[in-house]
Amino acid sequence: MAPTVSELRDEVKAMEDSWQKMYDDEEDCGNGKAMLLLALRIRQCCQKLKVYFATHLQPEQLSKHMKVVDWKVFNSHAMCARDCLNAGAYHDTLMHARKAHELNHAHGCAWEEAAVINVLYLEKEAWKGLGEMNRAIAVAERRAQAMAMLSNVQGDEQVA
């Protein structure tokens, strides 16, 4: 028997709480893949609930809710990229970085600061790990230019 709307809502809430706990505890590293799988499962459940949400939320609220879900997927891809980089899996790092960039762009660069500071750094380091210094330098230049455009970036972060 298919779950009810109420059961799906409860499941989404429990998964979101679990994801948030992993996100808050992520200092230790290594949970990127679990976080990504959970974020994708949250997105899948929310897709099932879209009909319910569409009848109970204003379109703006629905859009905002789905953006929050995609923020979780974006951050999870960034954490997967970091975990892959730490493991020396440079091609996987680049794949997760690309997915994070795609989500950021799909939402009008809503998470540009994180994309520039974190994701471009990981991308640059992956290219270095692959011995592709020209590509690493190109990403470093793109990152430096983008950081100069961000108003919230401190001077010491711009040097990294």
Side-chain angles (χ1 to χ4, degrees):
M1 186 161 93
T4 66
V5 168
S6 179
E7 290 169 336
L8 272 176
R9 270 195 333 227
D10 292 346
E11 182 181 355
V12 167
K13 174 73 171 115
M15 288 188 296
E16 288 179 331
D17 290 347
S18 293
W19 187 93
Q20 190 63 49
K21 182 172 179 3
M22 282 193 282
Y23 180 78
D24 292 342
D25 295 342
E26 191 48 24
E27 297 284 325
D28 302 329
C29 302
N31 281 334
K33 191 172 280 190
M35 291 177 70
L36 179 58
L37 292 172
L38 190 54
L40 292 172
R41 177 75 178 121
I42 292 167
R43 182 196 275 170
Q44 181 183 41
C45 285
C46 286
Q47 293 294 336
K48 290 179 184 176
L49 285 169
K50 246 184 173 175
V51 171
Y52 170 80
F53 286 148
T55 60
H56 289 80
L57 296 175
Q58 297 296 323
E60 183 179 302
Q61 290 174 302
L62 177 59
S63 176
K64 187 176 180 179
H65 180 81
M66 293 309 290
K67 185 175 180 177
V68 169
V69 170
D70 279 348
W71 174 82
K72 287 175 173 63
V73 177
F74 167 83
N75 275 295
S76 297
H77 273 299
M79 290 182 183
C80 277
R82 183 210 50 214
D83 293 347
C84 290
L85 181 68
N86 290 341
Y90 304 120
H91 289 288
D92 290 341
T93 302
L94 293 170
M95 185 267 304
H96 285 291
R98 180 179 49 78
K99 297 250 185 205
H101 285 304
E102 288 171 358
L103 265 175
N104 182 44
H105 289 289
H107 286 281
C109 297
W111 312 298
E112 188 69 3
E113 188 171 324
V116 168
I117 293 172
N118 301 322
V119 180
L120 283 177
Y121 170 80
L122 296 167
E123 187 178 336
K124 173 188 66 116
E125 292 299 311
W127 286 121
K128 281 173 50 180
L130 290 169
E132 296 276 353
M133 294 311 291
N134 287 336
R135 288 185 172 183
I137 290 169
V139 172
E141 289 172 348
R142 195 170 89 223
R143 182 175 183 249
Q145 290 169 351
M147 288 179 88
M149 302 300 288
L150 296 174
S151 60
N152 296 335
V153 178
Q154 301 297 317
D156 57 336
E157 289 176 328
Q158 292 181 3
V159 179

